[in-house]
Amino acid sequence: MAKNSLLETPIAFMKESMHITRSQLDSLLKSYNCYFKDQKNLHITYHQEVKGQIVLSGLIEIFWGVQRPIRFKMQDEKSISTESIQLPEVIGSSITKSGMMRWGEFDDLYHIEEAGKTSDDEPDSKNDYDYNSITLKPNLNDHAPDSPSLYRTMSDAALVRKRIHPDTPDRSHLQKHRFSINGHYYNYKTSIFTPAFGSETKVMIKSTMKTKEVIEQLLHKFMIENSPNEFALYIIHASGEKKKLKKKDCPLWERLLQGPSGSIARMFLMDREAEEISSDVAQYIKFNLPLLEKILQRLNEEEEREIQRTIAKYVHEKSIVLQYLNTKTVKKTETTV
């Protein structure tokens, strides 16, 4: 009995005055995660904090439905200057401004050392090349053992490997990479554009995050300059019903309650002014134009009949009130006389 009562005790607040019990939460999560059994990254998990609060977390799908252009930030928050990266000097190469290597006449870099040995043993009188020059291979005696250029005495193949995989510290924490919207990265010519309707993205959120916080998280992911106040989150059902999430709503709870299937309901990032569509109106959306015109005509006729009934009722009630007032006035006059 105690175990059953514990399962039926409200443990989490979802929205407004709606709570959920442990058994309901377990059932919802089981159905949701079973739908994504082959996509573990889309599972929703939860943990209980020290104060007893249940917090859900998960990666959810949000679709682009904005009509106004969005603006990318010009550059990432932290970028690394190419001047601050010291690339190792590689023999027989030149480094361009873009950081690319341009090699000379040697197609096979491993032949450089062999060429040097050939020139030492049998100098070619026809060519005036000195393979011991600093152009290709330095004289090993020119540098003391403690010289900072000691690495130049390594084999050319080793130097190539060192160039490709330099021993530089991990700088991943210094730069936050920009995500793309369907391959649309920042480009100064197209940094202002409107994402294709229905383009899909994913964002990691928690149940403690309200609607505005989720929008901020999404804009930060793509480094979009627009204000979060320009947008809103909507749930669009397969029937055509469009519901705007309130500021106090928790999108992750809403996604869990709507179920995992995108064919039933999807969450869209749309302009704040986008119009909501009620379930009553949504049932007519998929009809063809002639049928919709007939429906509209009937609605107008019904509206006109309702107006006439309201006017007739008003006139009838007015006549009764006036009649009652006239009666009261006559009685008062007779008493005075």
Side-chain angles (χ1 to χ4, degrees):
M1 291 294 293
K3 185 177 181 181
N4 292 334
S5 61
L6 182 62
L7 291 174
E8 298 304 322
T9 302
I11 61 170
F13 170 81
M14 291 186 292
K15 58 179 182 179
E16 296 177 353
S17 60
M18 189 174 181
H19 292 75
I20 190 171
T21 64
R22 174 79 65 178
S23 60
Q24 290 172 336
L25 177 60
D26 291 339
S27 177
L28 284 173
L29 287 177
K30 183 179 180 180
S31 300
Y32 190 96
N33 293 337
C34 183
Y35 183 85
F36 294 112
K37 61 181 179 180
D38 296 330
Q39 296 175 281
K40 301 289 186 181
N41 61 319
L42 294 179
H43 284 195
I44 293 179
T45 59
Y46 75 93
H47 69 277
Q48 191 166 1
E49 295 186 342
V50 179
K51 296 181 179 180
Q53 183 183 12
I54 297 295
V55 178
L56 276 64
S57 59
L59 191 69
I60 66 169
E61 297 176 328
I62 298 181
F63 297 83
W64 292 94
V66 297
Q67 298 297 324
R68 70 180 67 191
I70 62 172
R71 301 182 302 276
F72 279 143
K73 291 182 180 178
M74 184 170 293
Q75 58 185 359
D76 294 346
E77 294 180 357
K78 292 183 179 180
S79 58
I80 304 176
S81 173
T82 55
E83 298 178 358
S84 65
I85 304 177
Q86 297 181 356
L87 299 175
E89 185 179 355
V90 182
I91 302 171
S93 68
S94 59
I95 310 298
T96 64
K97 292 183 179 180
S98 61
M100 298 297 293
M101 294 174 53
R102 185 171 60 251
W103 290 88
E105 301 176 356
F106 293 93
D107 296 329
D108 189 349
L109 303 180
Y110 293 92
H111 291 170
I112 297 177
E113 189 173 359
E114 297 176 2
K117 290 181 180 179
T118 303
S119 82
D120 289 341
D121 299 336
E122 299 178 2
D124 189 357
S125 59
K126 295 181 181 180
N127 297 315
D128 221 1
Y129 298 138
D130 180 9
Y131 289 103
N132 278 332
S133 68
I134 61 171
T135 306
L136 291 178
K137 194 171 184 180
N139 192 332
L140 303 184
N141 297 325
D142 291 345
H143 301 282
D146 297 331
S147 172
S149 300
L150 185 60
Y151 67 87
R152 292 171 58 92
T153 65
M154 306 165 76
S155 69
D156 300 283
L159 286 174
V160 172
R161 290 194 294 269
K162 185 174 181 65
R163 170 62 184 90
I164 297 175
H165 303 289
D167 297 331
T168 54
D170 183 17
R171 293 183 172 86
S172 59
H173 66 285
L174 296 178
Q175 185 175 16
K176 295 182 179 179
H177 295 286
R178 181 193 305 274
F179 290 84
S180 71
I181 301 178
N182 282 10
H184 192 118
Y185 286 94
Y186 175 80
N187 184 319
Y188 75 96
K189 293 182 178 179
T190 60
S191 60
I192 300 177
F193 80 111
T194 302
F197 188 90
S199 300
E200 177 188 353
T201 185
K202 296 179 178 66
V203 62
M204 178 66 71
I205 61 174
K206 295 182 178 180
S207 59
T208 54
M209 299 172 65
K210 305 299 183 183
T211 301
K212 185 177 180 181
E213 294 174 298
V214 174
I215 295 175
E216 290 173 348
Q217 179 87 344
L218 183 60
L219 298 184
H220 177 74
K221 175 180 178 180
F222 296 98
M223 300 201 179
I224 294 174
E225 205 172 71
N226 299 58
S227 170
N229 296 327
E230 298 179 18
F231 307 102
L233 289 178
Y234 288 79
I235 296 290
I236 299 183
H237 296 263
S239 63
E241 179 184 356
K242 186 194 299 183
K243 175 187 175 184
K244 183 178 181 180
L245 296 187
K246 300 177 182 177
K247 294 181 179 179
K248 296 182 179 180
D249 287 342
C250 301
L252 187 54
W253 279 116
E254 192 69 34
R255 178 71 271 178
L256 184 61
L257 291 173
Q258 296 295 334
S261 177
S263 60
I264 297 177
R266 290 184 175 184
M267 188 173 295
F268 277 77
L269 179 73
M270 310 186 77
D271 300 328
R272 185 183 59 182
E273 301 83 6
E275 189 176 0
E276 294 186 77
I277 300 176
S278 66
S279 57
D280 294 333
V281 175
Q283 60 183 325
Y284 300 111
I285 290 179
K286 295 185 178 181
F287 295 154
N288 54 40
L289 186 59
L291 181 57
L292 286 174
E293 289 177 345
K294 289 183 179 179
I295 293 174
L296 183 60
Q297 182 180 356
R298 291 182 180 180
L299 289 174
N300 288 333
E301 293 173 355
E302 184 178 347
E303 181 184 18
E304 185 63 29
R305 288 194 297 268
E306 187 64 28
I307 290 173
Q308 295 301 324
R309 283 196 297 267
T310 302
I311 293 175
K313 182 179 178 180
Y314 171 78
V315 172
H316 177 68
E317 296 292 338
K318 181 179 179 181
S319 63
I320 293 176
V321 172
L322 289 175
Q323 185 179 358
Y324 180 78
L325 287 175
N326 291 333
T327 304
K328 288 290 185 181
T329 303
V330 170
K331 289 182 179 180
K332 185 177 180 182
T333 304
E334 290 177 355
T335 306
T336 304
V337 173

